[in-house]
Every structure is written in structure tokens, then in C-alpha cells.
Amino acid sequence: MVVLTGSLLMAQYAQTAGPVGEAPVQWPAASLVPRDSTRTQLVMFLHPRCPCSRASIGELEQIIAHCQGKLSAQVLFIQPEGVSEDWVKTDLWHAAAAIPGVKVGIDYEGQEARRFQAITSGQTLLYTAGGGLMFQGGITLARGHAGDNPGRDAIESLLNQTTTHSLGTPVFGCALGWKPTTEKCTACQL
């Protein structure tokens, strides 16, 4: 009975999405993230110590492989106040940096996450070359779950022009930490 209860609780936790901020419909003018005005731009926000985000990196790698040349991609890792850059440059950082064409950067104290209203690790935004929001949400089906999912399908459909309307999906990950929230990740002890 204990094993069954534990399994059910873990399944429930894996399927519980984090809060999703309301991303700006236009690229924020105050953002210091360079906007590519020639291609669609993807921006992903990650907590460097969130084990749930490993699957998001894997899904991003799939998107890049399937949509070569159709987008510019940037992954920003949150660096909380009082920690060094070494704290941020985890295996997740190195995995994101190894994806061809993906730029990786540090978001000091979540300043860019605030501008883009990203609250949960793994939140991914897709903007047109003109700066209009096309997609906001996650690209995994559950916490730490890699594989086919509506987020990756939505981004690839938008990039391949098989759909043209804005889309959004739930985000499964740890809190980025810049916004007070009751959401806590038991995996990364946030």
C-alpha cells in the first residue's frame, strides 16, 4: 500500500505544471537579449539546478534538428543574487551550449525572466522576426519527461507554417526564483 501511495504521489507531482507568466505580446523593448530581426526567435528560461529541465534541453535539441535555419535560439540560466557563475554553469548549461546554433547566457537575478514574465524553469517563448509572440509554454509533457509533446509539436508547426495562430502549453519545472511563489521543487530543494 505504501509503495502504491508513493507511486501515485510521484505521478501526480510529475503531472503538476508550474505557474506560467503572461509573456509580453511584443518583444520587450527593455530586454538586453539581442533580438534576431531576420528569423523567428526562441528564448528558453532555465534554473541551472532543476533536474526537471534536462528534458527541456533534450526537446530543444529536437526542435533545432527538425527546424534547421528557421530560428535563432537563446537559453538563459537564472543566476540568483549571491552565487557565482560557476554555480550556474552546471551540466544543463553545458548540454544547452552543445546544441548547434544555440546561444547560452546568464540571466542575472532573473532580470530577463521578469521582462518576459517567465516564472517556471523550461518556459519557452517563440517570437516572430518582427517581435510578435507566437508561442509560450513548455516543451515537455511532464516534469523530466522527454518525448513527443504538444509544446514541441506547436513550435515545429509554427516554424513549418502548418499553423499560424498563437499557441501555449503548460510548463513543467521548478520555480525560477525571481517571483515569490508557493511552488517548491522537491527535486532541487528550491
Side-chain angles (χ1 to χ4, degrees), residues 84-100:
S84 70
E85 283 189 18
D86 290 339
W87 187 88
V88 176
K89 294 185 177 177
T90 62
D91 62 324
L92 288 177
W93 171 284
H94 296 292
I99 301 171

Side-chain angles (χ1 to χ4, degrees), residues 136-161:
Q136 67 173 337
I139 57 173
T140 63
L141 192 56
R143 290 178 188 259
H145 177 80
D148 292 338
N149 67 82
R152 186 179 78 201
D153 290 347
I155 289 174
E156 290 181 6
S157 293
L158 288 162
L159 291 170
N160 292 320
Q161 300 177 342

Side-chain angles (χ1 to χ4, degrees), residues 9-186:
L9 289 173
M10 288 300 293
Q12 179 183 11
Y13 175 74
Q15 294 296 320
T16 302
V20 178
E22 191 63 37
V25 295
Q26 285 294 314
W27 188 274
S31 176
L32 301 178
V33 177
R35 185 173 68 80
D36 187 336
S37 61
T38 63
R39 294 185 290 171
T40 303
Q41 182 145 0
L42 181 146
V43 181
M44 177 186 283
F45 292 90
L46 293 176
H47 189 290
R49 306 270 171 151
C50 173
C52 311
S53 295
R54 190 167 321 287
S56 295
I57 297 288
E59 294 305 309
L60 175 61
E61 187 171 23
Q62 292 296 313
I63 291 169
I64 298 298
H66 296 161
C67 301
Q68 291 181 0
K70 295 181 180 177
L71 78 156
S72 173
Q74 175 101 20
V75 177
L76 296 174
F77 286 88
I78 300 294
Q79 180 179 346
E81 182 179 359
V83 300
S84 70
E85 283 189 18
D86 290 339
W87 187 88
V88 176
K89 294 185 177 177
T90 62
D91 62 324
L92 288 177
W93 171 284
H94 296 292
I99 301 171
V102 172
K103 295 176 186 152
V104 178
I106 293 176
D107 183 9
Y108 300 98
E109 299 178 19
Q111 293 173 8
E112 291 298 331
R114 282 184 191 88
R115 290 182 182 114
F116 285 93
Q117 289 299 299
I119 299 171
T120 300
S121 187
Q123 185 157 347
T124 303
L125 308 170
L126 190 69
Y127 283 88
T128 65
L133 181 65
M134 298 171 71
F135 171 87
Q136 67 173 337
I139 57 173
T140 63
L141 192 56
R143 290 178 188 259
H145 177 80
D148 292 338
N149 67 82
R152 186 179 78 201
D153 290 347
I155 289 174
E156 290 181 6
S157 293
L158 288 162
L159 291 170
N160 292 320
Q161 300 177 342
T162 56
T163 188
T164 56
H165 61 282
S166 291
L167 301 166
T169 58
V171 182
F172 297 95
C174 303
L176 289 172
W178 67 266
K179 183 175 184 172
T181 177
T182 59
E183 299 291 319
K184 299 290 182 199
C185 179
T186 57

